[in-house]
Amino acid sequence: MPPAAAEPLTPERILETTEEVLRRFGPTKATVVDVARALGVSHGSVYRHFPSKAALREAVTDRWLAKSVVMLEEIASAPAEPAPSKLESWLEALFEAKRHKAGDDPELFATYIVLLGENSGVVEHHLTELIEQLSRIIGEGVAEGSLSAPDVPAAARAVFDATGRFHDPQYAADWLGPTITAEFEAVTALVIRGLRA
């Protein structure tokens, strides 16, 4: 084992290293021992921060999903932008974030698809956050008179479901198609037109 690391062992450092290990070995072969070895510490040191392999994998998945939530929250919270424009920007940003994750790092994206399937609690929390952001945008539109929705939460869920092809990882292969941008724009325009007051 290498000498003690110069950097303190933090949950963030463990999560960053876990991503690298998952990228290298994949979700089925990566172990806590591999993570500890990459960090130059004992596996017991990793377990002091994450009590099990499942907890570590769940934290990695949550960290990955949270990056999208933070970026989308900036759009949802933007002042002085009309709700239809904000909704369009939000949907576009979600699509681009997912497409970049799939295209820029396909090995890690494939790993996360496996992890997402294992961690439904993390995924459900993530989806709830996204739909809540959509609810706020649509609610602002109803309040300002630019959008119409008798049941804002139901409308938000419907928008999320209607645009699923552009953010659900099961459709990642479609995101490389030559017509996907035009298809996204057509669906988004239709959704927003349907919500206009």
Side-chain angles (χ1 to χ4, degrees), residues 95-118:
F95 177 40
E96 285 305 313
K98 297 289 179 151
R99 190 158 61 166
H100 280 295
K101 284 181 180 180
D104 295 347
D105 197 348
E107 296 86 8
L108 197 55
F109 187 76
T111 295
Y112 281 119
I113 290 175
V114 172
L115 296 179
L116 293 175
E118 294 175 357

mmCIF file of all heavy atoms in Angstrom, residues 95-118:
data_model
loop_
_atom_site.group_PDB
_atom_site.id
_atom_site.type_symbol
_atom_site.label_atom_id
_atom_site.label_comp_id
_atom_site.label_asym_id
_atom_site.label_seq_id
_atom_site.Cartn_x
_atom_site.Cartn_y
_atom_site.Cartn_z
ATOM 1 N N PHE A 95 -32.246 18.070 -22.131
ATOM 2 C CA PHE A 95 -31.888 17.215 -23.267
ATOM 3 C C PHE A 95 -30.387 17.288 -23.542
ATOM 4 O O PHE A 95 -29.714 16.264 -23.696
ATOM 5 C CB PHE A 95 -32.705 17.621 -24.489
ATOM 6 C CG PHE A 95 -32.382 16.850 -25.742
ATOM 7 C CD1 PHE A 95 -32.135 15.484 -25.710
ATOM 8 C CD2 PHE A 95 -32.349 17.497 -26.960
ATOM 9 C CE1 PHE A 95 -31.853 14.776 -26.878
ATOM 10 C CE2 PHE A 95 -32.075 16.796 -28.134
ATOM 11 C CZ PHE A 95 -31.825 15.438 -28.091
ATOM 12 N N GLU A 96 -29.844 18.488 -23.581
ATOM 13 C CA GLU A 96 -28.412 18.653 -23.861
ATOM 14 C C GLU A 96 -27.557 18.023 -22.769
ATOM 15 O O GLU A 96 -26.530 17.398 -23.059
ATOM 16 C CB GLU A 96 -28.058 20.128 -24.027
ATOM 17 C CG GLU A 96 -28.509 20.703 -25.350
ATOM 18 C CD GLU A 96 -27.978 19.929 -26.559
ATOM 19 O OE1 GLU A 96 -26.768 19.619 -26.607
ATOM 20 O OE2 GLU A 96 -28.773 19.599 -27.451
ATOM 21 N N ALA A 97 -27.957 18.170 -21.516
ATOM 22 C CA ALA A 97 -27.184 17.582 -20.420
ATOM 23 C C ALA A 97 -27.145 16.065 -20.546
ATOM 24 O O ALA A 97 -26.081 15.443 -20.413
ATOM 25 C CB ALA A 97 -27.787 17.997 -19.079
ATOM 26 N N LYS A 98 -28.282 15.463 -20.816
ATOM 27 C CA LYS A 98 -28.329 14.007 -20.942
ATOM 28 C C LYS A 98 -27.556 13.549 -22.182
ATOM 29 O O LYS A 98 -26.825 12.567 -22.142
ATOM 30 C CB LYS A 98 -29.782 13.525 -21.033
ATOM 31 C CG LYS A 98 -30.615 13.825 -19.809
ATOM 32 C CD LYS A 98 -30.228 12.982 -18.622
ATOM 33 C CE LYS A 98 -31.071 13.356 -17.432
ATOM 34 N NZ LYS A 98 -31.291 12.288 -16.509
ATOM 35 N N ARG A 99 -27.707 14.276 -23.267
ATOM 36 C CA ARG A 99 -27.022 13.899 -24.507
ATOM 37 C C ARG A 99 -25.505 14.007 -24.347
ATOM 38 O O ARG A 99 -24.763 13.147 -24.808
ATOM 39 C CB ARG A 99 -27.527 14.780 -25.657
ATOM 40 C CG ARG A 99 -27.064 14.300 -27.006
ATOM 41 C CD ARG A 99 -27.912 14.769 -28.136
ATOM 42 N NE ARG A 99 -27.963 16.202 -28.279
ATOM 43 C CZ ARG A 99 -28.422 16.805 -29.362
ATOM 44 N NH1 ARG A 99 -28.865 16.098 -30.385
ATOM 45 N NH2 ARG A 99 -28.463 18.107 -29.441
ATOM 46 N N HIS A 100 -25.055 15.053 -23.657
ATOM 47 C CA HIS A 100 -23.614 15.203 -23.443
ATOM 48 C C HIS A 100 -23.074 14.105 -22.541
ATOM 49 O O HIS A 100 -21.986 13.584 -22.784
ATOM 50 C CB HIS A 100 -23.279 16.591 -22.869
ATOM 51 C CG HIS A 100 -23.260 17.649 -23.913
ATOM 52 N ND1 HIS A 100 -22.347 17.666 -24.935
ATOM 53 C CD2 HIS A 100 -24.050 18.724 -24.103
ATOM 54 C CE1 HIS A 100 -22.578 18.708 -25.716
ATOM 55 N NE2 HIS A 100 -23.612 19.363 -25.233
ATOM 56 N N LYS A 101 -23.815 13.760 -21.502
ATOM 57 C CA LYS A 101 -23.358 12.687 -20.615
ATOM 58 C C LYS A 101 -23.229 11.377 -21.374
ATOM 59 O O LYS A 101 -22.279 10.624 -21.175
ATOM 60 C CB LYS A 101 -24.301 12.526 -19.434
ATOM 61 C CG LYS A 101 -24.129 13.618 -18.398
ATOM 62 C CD LYS A 101 -25.054 13.432 -17.230
ATOM 63 C CE LYS A 101 -24.827 14.550 -16.241
ATOM 64 N NZ LYS A 101 -25.663 14.463 -15.078
ATOM 65 N N ALA A 102 -24.177 11.111 -22.264
ATOM 66 C CA ALA A 102 -24.138 9.864 -23.037
ATOM 67 C C ALA A 102 -23.018 9.885 -24.069
ATOM 68 O O ALA A 102 -22.347 8.876 -24.284
ATOM 69 C CB ALA A 102 -25.486 9.640 -23.716
ATOM 70 N N GLY A 103 -22.796 11.031 -24.701
ATOM 71 C CA GLY A 103 -21.816 11.110 -25.783
ATOM 72 C C GLY A 103 -20.400 11.366 -25.331
ATOM 73 O O GLY A 103 -19.449 10.840 -25.917
ATOM 74 N N ASP A 104 -20.224 12.153 -24.279
ATOM 75 C CA ASP A 104 -18.876 12.536 -23.845
ATOM 76 C C ASP A 104 -18.168 11.434 -23.062
ATOM 77 O O ASP A 104 -16.941 11.381 -23.049
ATOM 78 C CB ASP A 104 -18.919 13.807 -22.989
ATOM 79 C CG ASP A 104 -19.401 15.022 -23.776
ATOM 80 O OD1 ASP A 104 -19.454 14.938 -25.018
ATOM 81 O OD2 ASP A 104 -19.729 16.034 -23.135
ATOM 82 N N ASP A 105 -18.911 10.605 -22.387
ATOM 83 C CA ASP A 105 -18.302 9.578 -21.549
ATOM 84 C C ASP A 105 -19.185 8.328 -21.569
ATOM 85 O O ASP A 105 -19.837 7.994 -20.582
ATOM 86 C CB ASP A 105 -18.147 10.119 -20.126
ATOM 87 C CG ASP A 105 -17.172 9.317 -19.301
ATOM 88 O OD1 ASP A 105 -16.779 8.209 -19.740
ATOM 89 O OD2 ASP A 105 -16.797 9.787 -18.220
ATOM 90 N N PRO A 106 -19.222 7.632 -22.718
ATOM 91 C CA PRO A 106 -20.166 6.513 -22.849
ATOM 92 C C PRO A 106 -19.956 5.392 -21.839
ATOM 93 O O PRO A 106 -20.914 4.750 -21.418
ATOM 94 C CB PRO A 106 -19.952 6.016 -24.281
ATOM 95 C CG PRO A 106 -18.681 6.613 -24.744
ATOM 96 C CD PRO A 106 -18.430 7.837 -23.924
ATOM 97 N N GLU A 107 -18.690 5.157 -21.420
ATOM 98 C CA GLU A 107 -18.451 4.091 -20.446
ATOM 99 C C GLU A 107 -19.110 4.425 -19.113
ATOM 100 O O GLU A 107 -19.779 3.595 -18.510
ATOM 101 C CB GLU A 107 -16.940 3.875 -20.227
ATOM 102 C CG GLU A 107 -16.196 3.387 -21.446
ATOM 103 C CD GLU A 107 -15.744 4.515 -22.363
ATOM 104 O OE1 GLU A 107 -15.873 5.705 -21.998
ATOM 105 O OE2 GLU A 107 -15.273 4.198 -23.464
ATOM 106 N N LEU A 108 -18.914 5.657 -18.661
ATOM 107 C CA LEU A 108 -19.505 6.050 -17.391
ATOM 108 C C LEU A 108 -21.027 6.147 -17.507
ATOM 109 O O LEU A 108 -21.754 5.790 -16.587
ATOM 110 C CB LEU A 108 -18.910 7.375 -16.906
ATOM 111 C CG LEU A 108 -19.125 7.694 -15.434
ATOM 112 C CD1 LEU A 108 -18.612 6.588 -14.536
ATOM 113 C CD2 LEU A 108 -18.457 9.009 -15.082
ATOM 114 N N PHE A 109 -21.531 6.598 -18.647
ATOM 115 C CA PHE A 109 -22.973 6.675 -18.851
ATOM 116 C C PHE A 109 -23.589 5.277 -18.758
ATOM 117 O O PHE A 109 -24.621 5.084 -18.113
ATOM 118 C CB PHE A 109 -23.293 7.319 -20.199
ATOM 119 C CG PHE A 109 -24.759 7.590 -20.406
ATOM 120 C CD1 PHE A 109 -25.376 8.660 -19.768
ATOM 121 C CD2 PHE A 109 -25.530 6.789 -21.223
ATOM 122 C CE1 PHE A 109 -26.734 8.919 -19.950
ATOM 123 C CE2 PHE A 109 -26.879 7.044 -21.410
ATOM 124 C CZ PHE A 109 -27.470 8.104 -20.775
ATOM 125 N N ALA A 110 -22.948 4.300 -19.395
ATOM 126 C CA ALA A 110 -23.442 2.918 -19.329
ATOM 127 C C ALA A 110 -23.433 2.418 -17.889
ATOM 128 O O ALA A 110 -24.360 1.727 -17.451
ATOM 129 C CB ALA A 110 -22.598 2.013 -20.211
ATOM 130 N N THR A 111 -22.398 2.791 -17.144
ATOM 131 C CA THR A 111 -22.330 2.419 -15.735
ATOM 132 C C THR A 111 -23.489 3.023 -14.966
ATOM 133 O O THR A 111 -24.132 2.363 -14.156
ATOM 134 C CB THR A 111 -20.986 2.886 -15.140
ATOM 135 O OG1 THR A 111 -19.937 2.168 -15.787
ATOM 136 C CG2 THR A 111 -20.931 2.648 -13.646
ATOM 137 N N TYR A 112 -23.776 4.289 -15.229
ATOM 138 C CA TYR A 112 -24.858 4.944 -14.511
ATOM 139 C C TYR A 112 -26.219 4.355 -14.855
ATOM 140 O O TYR A 112 -27.099 4.314 -14.005
ATOM 141 C CB TYR A 112 -24.839 6.448 -14.761
ATOM 142 C CG TYR A 112 -23.789 7.129 -13.932
ATOM 143 C CD1 TYR A 112 -22.753 7.826 -14.517
ATOM 144 C CD2 TYR A 112 -23.811 7.062 -12.540
ATOM 145 C CE1 TYR A 112 -21.783 8.441 -13.754
ATOM 146 C CE2 TYR A 112 -22.845 7.664 -11.769
ATOM 147 C CZ TYR A 112 -21.833 8.359 -12.374
ATOM 148 O OH TYR A 112 -20.872 8.950 -11.615
ATOM 149 N N ILE A 113 -26.399 3.891 -16.056
ATOM 150 C CA ILE A 113 -27.682 3.256 -16.392
ATOM 151 C C ILE A 113 -27.896 2.044 -15.489
ATOM 152 O O ILE A 113 -28.987 1.823 -14.965
ATOM 153 C CB ILE A 113 -27.743 2.885 -17.889
ATOM 154 C CG1 ILE A 113 -27.845 4.170 -18.721
ATOM 155 C CG2 ILE A 113 -28.907 1.957 -18.175
ATOM 156 C CD1 ILE A 113 -27.789 3.964 -20.207
ATOM 157 N N VAL A 114 -26.832 1.269 -15.284
ATOM 158 C CA VAL A 114 -26.929 0.111 -14.374
ATOM 159 C C VAL A 114 -27.215 0.597 -12.956
ATOM 160 O O VAL A 114 -28.101 0.072 -12.276
ATOM 161 C CB VAL A 114 -25.628 -0.715 -14.414
ATOM 162 C CG1 VAL A 114 -25.640 -1.793 -13.333
ATOM 163 C CG2 VAL A 114 -25.448 -1.342 -15.786
ATOM 164 N N LEU A 115 -26.481 1.610 -12.506
ATOM 165 C CA LEU A 115 -26.673 2.112 -11.150
ATOM 166 C C LEU A 115 -28.063 2.702 -10.959
ATOM 167 O O LEU A 115 -28.672 2.547 -9.902
ATOM 168 C CB LEU A 115 -25.611 3.157 -10.820
ATOM 169 C CG LEU A 115 -24.164 2.663 -10.786
ATOM 170 C CD1 LEU A 115 -23.227 3.807 -10.467
ATOM 171 C CD2 LEU A 115 -23.988 1.538 -9.793
ATOM 172 N N LEU A 116 -28.576 3.383 -11.985
ATOM 173 C CA LEU A 116 -29.917 3.958 -11.878
ATOM 174 C C LEU A 116 -30.958 2.866 -11.670
ATOM 175 O O LEU A 116 -31.911 3.032 -10.921
ATOM 176 C CB LEU A 116 -30.251 4.783 -13.127
ATOM 177 C CG LEU A 116 -29.436 6.055 -13.331
ATOM 178 C CD1 LEU A 116 -29.784 6.707 -14.665
ATOM 179 C CD2 LEU A 116 -29.634 7.029 -12.197
ATOM 180 N N GLY A 117 -30.760 1.745 -12.344
ATOM 181 C CA GLY A 117 -31.681 0.628 -12.178
ATOM 182 C C GLY A 117 -31.649 0.041 -10.778
ATOM 183 O O GLY A 117 -32.640 -0.490 -10.300
ATOM 184 N N GLU A 118 -30.497 0.144 -10.116
ATOM 185 C CA GLU A 118 -30.349 -0.402 -8.768
ATOM 186 C C GLU A 118 -30.866 0.534 -7.687
ATOM 187 O O GLU A 118 -31.235 0.096 -6.614
ATOM 188 C CB GLU A 118 -28.867 -0.655 -8.465
ATOM 189 C CG GLU A 118 -28.239 -1.733 -9.296
ATOM 190 C CD GLU A 118 -26.752 -1.854 -9.026
ATOM 191 O OE1 GLU A 118 -26.203 -1.057 -8.238
ATOM 192 O OE2 GLU A 118 -26.132 -2.756 -9.600
#
